[in-house]
Structure formats: C-alpha cells, structure tokens
C-alpha cells in the first residue's frame, strides 16, 4: 500500500512540474490592475520545448532528443591552433567519405576532438570504426566512446 501511495505521489509531482512550466509563462503575461504588464515575444518552438528533453538542432526546426549512446572518435589533439585545424581537416575528410554520417568537431579542454556518428548500440559504432580503419591514413587510431547522442524526432 505504501508503494502505491508513493507511486501516485511521484506521478502527480511529475504532472504538476510540466503543467507548472506553462503556468509560469501564462502568469507572467496576466494583466493585473495596478501592476506592470509583461509581454513575452518568443518563437512557438521555444514554448513547445519548455519542460521537454528535445532541443532544436538547427535553424530549420529539426528537433532531436539527447540520450546516451556511442560515437567514433577519429581525432584527439591538444589545445593548439594546429590541433584545431587538424580536427577540422579530419572532419571534412570524413564528410567527403561518408556524407550521411554526422561529424562533430569540439573543444573539450584541453583537447580538440573530432567524433562521428550517433549510434544507439556499440555494434553500429564498431561497424563504422572498422570501415574507417580499413581506409588507413588518419583513421588508424580511431576508437569508440560513450557520449550523449542526438536522436532525431
């Protein structure tokens, strides 16, 4: 019985938090005599994202869900300008070879990283890693890393 009450309380709390996010925006725009008035001008996509795990990925309105997954790390350098240029160069090379594969070049102090793919399973990442290693050259030291991935909605 205690578990049932606890489960009910948790469900009610989760529902009230999501409703509260929209209630806050609505209460700010309420017209109350004797008080100032707040007008919120925002894109409708932002209002749709309040309380959601989905975030806009690009200006075209593509939405993604962030979740744990795998990427193939192609390059890891240090924090020099040469490492930055090399990371971008490797990213362009991967995009030429695999146009459908998303490639991410980021600075994660103290290193420049180039990672590719949004894989839910390690098997998918392994297949791409093997294809990259078979090409040789810059792709001999590739590895699989766990990271937050983008899953299109």
């Amino acid at each position: 019985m205690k578990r049932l009450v606890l489960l009910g309380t948790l469900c009610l709390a989760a529902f009230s938090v999501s409703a509260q996010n929209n209630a806050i925006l609505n209460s700010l725009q309420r017209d109350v005599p004797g008080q100032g008035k707040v007008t919120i001008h925002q894109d409708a996509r932002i209002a749709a994202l309040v309380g959601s795990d989905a975030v806009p990925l690009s200006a075209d309105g593509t939405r993604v869900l962030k979740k744990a997954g795998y990427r193939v790390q192609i390059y890891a350098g240090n924090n020099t300008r040469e490492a930055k240029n090399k990371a971008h160069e490797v990213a362009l090379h991967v995009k030429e070879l695999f146009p459908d594969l998303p490639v991410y070049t980021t600075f994660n102090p103290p290193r420049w990283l180039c990672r590719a793919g949004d894989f839910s399973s390690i098997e998918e990442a392994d297949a791409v890693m093997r294809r990259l290693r078979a090409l040789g050259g810059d792709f001999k030291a590739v590895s699989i890393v766990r990271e937050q991935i983008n899953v299109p909605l």
Side-chain angles (χ1 to χ4, degrees):
M1 183 68 179
K2 289 181 183 178
R3 289 183 183 173
L4 184 59
V5 171
L6 181 62
L7 180 63
T9 305
L10 289 175
C11 290
L12 184 61
F15 176 73
S16 68
V17 167
S18 66
Q20 187 178 18
N21 287 336
N22 287 330
I24 290 171
L25 293 176
N26 292 335
S27 69
L28 286 174
Q29 297 185 65
R30 198 174 39 185
D31 190 16
V32 178
Q35 293 184 0
K37 180 173 176 158
V38 175
T39 304
I40 299 174
H41 300 280
Q42 68 180 4
D43 193 324
R45 293 177 289 184
I46 294 173
L49 292 173
V50 172
S52 172
D53 290 337
V55 296
L57 181 62
S58 62
D60 65 357
T62 306
R63 292 183 1 149
V64 296
L65 179 67
K66 298 276 190 181
K67 73 172 215 166
Y70 301 92
R71 288 196 174 137
V72 177
Q73 183 166 300
I74 303 164
Y75 175 78
N78 53 23
N79 63 352
T80 63
R81 181 162 305 280
E82 290 131 18
K84 177 182 179 181
N85 293 338
K86 179 71 174 175
H88 287 292
E89 177 186 314
V90 169
L92 287 173
H93 189 54
V94 171
K95 286 179 186 177
E96 289 173 0
L97 296 171
F98 303 96
D100 295 336
L101 189 66
V103 179
Y104 305 94
T105 303
T106 57
F107 181 68
N108 189 1
R111 302 178 297 166
W112 279 96
L113 302 171
C114 180
R115 295 178 175 172
D118 289 316
F119 306 108
S120 296
S121 71
I122 198 165
E123 291 82 12
E124 295 171 324
D126 186 58
V128 171
M129 182 185 70
R130 289 177 187 273
R131 288 174 57 194
L132 285 166
R133 278 190 182 157
L135 295 172
D138 291 335
F139 309 124
K140 288 181 182 176
V142 296
S143 61
I144 298 173
V145 293
R146 285 190 61 79
E147 192 170 64
Q148 290 287 321
I149 62 169
N150 302 319
V151 178
L153 293 177

